[in-house]
Amino acid sequence: MKIVRSIIAILAGAVLSAAVSAAQAPIMIHSHNDYSRNVPFYQAYAQGVASVEADIHYNGGALLVGHDDDEVTESIESMYLAPIAKFYRANGNHPYPDKTKTLQLMVDIKESVEPTLSGLVEIISERYSDVFCTGGVQLVISGNRPEPQDFDKYPGWVMFDGKLEIDYTAEQLKRVALFSECFSDYAGWNGKGSLVIDQEKKVREAIDKAHSMGKTIRFWGAPETTTAYYTFYNFGIDWFNTDKPEKCAAFFSNWGDKNFQIGVRNISQEGVSGTSKLDKVTRNFAGFQHSKLQLSKGIDIYTPTYRNDGSHKKIKNVIFLIGDGMGLNQILAGDYANHGLSLMNMKYVGFQHNNAKDQFTTDSAAGGSALATGERHSNRHIACADDGTPYESLTDWFSAQGLSTGVLTLGHMVDATPTAFYGHNVERDDSDDLTVDLLSSNLDVLCGCGMGDFVRRKDGRKNLLGELKDAGFDIVEKYEKIDGSEGKVICIDKRMDAAAEESNISLLAEATKKTIAQLRKINSDKGFFLMIEGAKIDYAGHSECLPGSVLEMLSFDMAIAEALKFADSNGETLVVVSADHETGGLVILDGDEKTGRIMGLYFGNDHTPTILPVFAYGPHSDEFLGTYMNIDIPKKIKKLTSRK
């Protein structure tokens, strides 16, 4: 312990900055048995907890910390009072630097109340009155405490831990800071699954009783699991008693990133998520602004006619929708929140493995290129072999068949997935060369954001837009103008860069209709191929932002609905929906089927190699059943649409 104490001074400075970044939890965290850890107090304080606990013994005039007599080591003054006072004074008479969090010190008296409590009051009154006697940091006495009728024998700044079994008078209740109850007196739950109904009732009754008296409640000895975290939160328990402050604080931090419900404004988090976790091309993305991550109502769900679904009729058009970063749980989150998705009305579902050629986990370049070409790729490579030899993409193949081709993304058009359908390069970040590939591409329509990569270049070309115009492209800056051109068109719409919110959630769907109209205008006889990317589902995963993921998923689903509507209108269109990879390792933890409330936790902020769903609708959609590699999707599409 002496070695540990010697590093406290070093840690103290780091703790100050760590506490600043800790998000305010939606539940107060009580660091139980705090003194038993390697760095008592500091370890909990760094997590921004609302309460720390010290068990004390009266030992020859000294107040020593420890659960039992044989483990006492240092005084409560050196372990708690002095460090708390140091931070309080350094922060301008506040427990934490951000001046919004509160702190209490719970002292559990393990022996007789006197002379222990009087000794503690004396120390505080003499050296720390500015911290505790003013209420800046609340002192709460637990364990062996005075009888309620003796509360008034101690200064008014000394508060007490209450017991629900005691019938306090109104005056005595004023001295009760909170109620602490032994969880095993109410339930024998181990923190897995759910409580037995009658035990849950007892727990809820205890919570209600404390709240009816205007007090908060803590259960000590309660299970500490992820399930227990959200279960107790849903019950309305005010304090979470933890022996794992880092784990508990991590779960309850950034609460707004983990919860979403349509029609309910999430006020537990402000600011922006995600501006520093994206790649080079998307570095200018403004992030997910929590004040805008809400919807007043859900999106409409389209139910297809199924008239030609699974038939073996000729396919004239193919619409391939790729939800970047969209795994099963991203789909489920949107489905639960919206009480359904158009995507979930597609009956033919398969699964694809998506490992890269050189790595177990793919990036968007290798994943998108596999979907574009039917060839396995090394990470960072765009539609080419390891030596740079170009692979034929679906747009190349369909153009050779005489069809018009298009790429539409609700994101940056020079990002990995869209470029896989028109460019070839061994480096996904080589935006100069990838945009030059457009000059020789077979693409008829390209829509997304990313004006900077056309006008601010490093390759000597002052402005690529002029060259693209000479190559036959009309250049427009609003998706509404896509179908106003007579021929090939590139739409660089800066609105495509923004995160989905109430005002723009239909943007991708509206652009889908315009793009289909233009592709049909260019070639109404032979048909078209269109790739549509829901780009920012991936952004949300990198940002670990569940509300962002749900809104981007709903935006993508609205585009899926438009594809299904078009497929039903002619009976000759195959619609395929899948993903290039999953992002974030999203896990759905909790929710409510009736309200659509959803809670999810990300494993991390990068891609995972999880298996991905493949949805198909229209003629030959039954060919997409089963499990296969991602490269089999374009191979199936080619086989089903070959006109030779």
Side-chain angles (χ1 to χ4, degrees), residues 414-426:
V414 195
D415 205 359
T417 302
T419 56
F421 286 84
Y422 67 77
H424 309 276
N425 206 292
V426 293

Side-chain angles (χ1 to χ4, degrees), residues 157-424:
W157 48 267
V158 178
M159 302 294 286
F160 299 95
D161 196 7
K163 293 183 178 180
L164 289 177
E165 64 187 36
I166 297 177
D167 187 15
Y168 296 98
T169 67
E171 287 302 311
Q172 293 166 358
L173 193 60
K174 291 179 182 179
R175 301 293 295 277
V176 174
L178 74 159
F179 286 100
S180 294
E181 296 291 310
C182 177
F183 185 75
S184 61
D185 289 344
Y186 295 85
W189 188 44
N190 65 359
K192 299 177 182 178
S194 57
L195 282 81
V196 177
I197 294 176
D198 62 334
Q199 294 181 2
E200 176 182 333
K201 181 180 179 182
K202 292 179 181 178
V203 172
R204 288 184 179 275
E205 287 175 346
I207 297 169
D208 291 342
K209 184 175 181 180
H211 289 173
S212 70
M213 290 183 279
K215 301 296 180 180
T216 57
I217 189 168
R218 170 183 75 102
F219 286 95
W220 55 272
E224 188 165 355
T225 63
T226 299
T227 302
Y229 288 154
Y230 65 74
T231 298
F232 291 154
Y233 172 79
N234 291 338
F235 283 0
I237 291 176
D238 310 282
W239 294 89
F240 202 98
N241 189 84
T242 182
D243 290 313
K244 305 170 184 177
E246 293 90 350
K247 178 182 177 182
C248 186
F251 181 85
F252 287 109
S253 68
N254 301 321
W255 196 240
D257 276 328
K258 298 166 183 170
N259 294 271
F260 180 78
Q261 183 178 338
I262 291 173
V264 175
R265 183 181 179 188
N266 192 338
I267 61 173
S268 60
Q269 189 164 334
E270 297 296 332
V272 179
S273 292
T275 55
S276 63
K277 300 174 183 175
L278 303 176
D279 57 35
K280 179 180 178 181
V281 175
T282 56
R283 62 189 178 276
N284 293 324
F285 173 59
F288 297 96
Q289 301 178 47
H290 284 275
S291 62
K292 297 181 179 180
L293 291 178
Q294 53 192 295
L295 289 177
S296 59
K297 62 179 181 179
I299 64 170
D300 293 334
I301 303 167
Y302 178 69
T303 302
T305 64
Y306 304 108
R307 186 167 56 249
N308 299 294
D309 195 25
S311 71
H312 287 179
K313 294 179 61 176
K314 180 181 177 180
I315 298 172
K316 182 177 181 180
N317 312 298
V318 176
I319 304 177
F320 189 8
L321 297 108
I322 299 174
D324 198 327
M326 182 187 73
L328 283 169
N329 280 336
Q330 281 81 358
I331 296 171
L332 278 176
D335 184 48
Y336 281 127
N338 194 63
H339 299 290
L341 295 174
S342 298
L343 175 63
M344 299 297 266
N345 288 328
M346 299 173 72
K347 295 181 178 180
Y348 291 96
V349 185
F351 293 93
Q352 53 119 327
H353 295 285
N354 51 90
N355 313 91
K357 180 181 177 181
D358 65 332
Q359 298 287 334
F360 191 68
T361 302
T362 188
D363 70 352
S364 290
S369 295
L371 296 175
T373 67
E375 300 285 347
R376 294 190 73 172
H377 284 67
S378 297
N379 281 343
R380 307 202 68 81
H381 290 190
I382 300 293
C384 69
D386 289 347
D387 63 1
T389 302
Y391 286 136
E392 181 184 57
S393 70
L394 284 174
T395 55
D396 298 325
W397 190 84
F398 276 110
S399 180
Q401 299 263 324
L403 280 70
S404 56
T405 61
V407 170
L408 165 63
T409 176
L410 190 65
H412 203 294
M413 63 174 64
V414 195
D415 205 359
T417 302
T419 56
F421 286 84
Y422 67 77
H424 309 276

